[in-house]
Amino acid sequence: HAFLWFISGDNALTGKARILIEDELNENLISAATLWEIGIKNSLGKLPLSKPFGELIAQQLSSAGDG
């Protein structure tokens, strides 16, 4: 949930967690299983995303190192 909350700006993610994720000194990892689950739920209509799955994930992963 943390990845989805982070990219959507959801307040369910605590301020402390957001700070830790945004801290460039921390290495943020996301499992392939998480991406797989997001893709499945999105394709079933159970998880609407702001952009198509492939576009959203590619954008988020490429911007992760931008600081």
Side-chain angles (χ1 to χ4, degrees):
H1 287 91
F3 175 71
L4 292 173
W5 292 340
F6 181 75
I7 66 172
S8 68
D10 194 309
N11 288 333
L13 186 67
T14 66
K16 182 177 181 176
R18 185 166 302 281
I19 289 168
L20 290 170
I21 292 170
E22 291 174 342
D23 186 339
E24 294 179 19
L25 298 176
N26 293 324
E27 181 180 18
N28 297 311
L29 305 171
I30 186 165
S31 77
T34 296
L35 298 177
W36 179 72
E37 290 178 13
I38 291 170
I40 288 173
K41 293 217 182 259
N42 178 250
S43 70
L44 294 173
K46 295 183 177 186
L47 180 63
L49 300 172
S50 61
K51 295 181 180 180
F53 173 78
E55 182 182 334
L56 178 71
I57 299 305
Q59 176 188 21
Q60 292 301 315
L61 295 179
S62 69
S63 68
D66 291 348

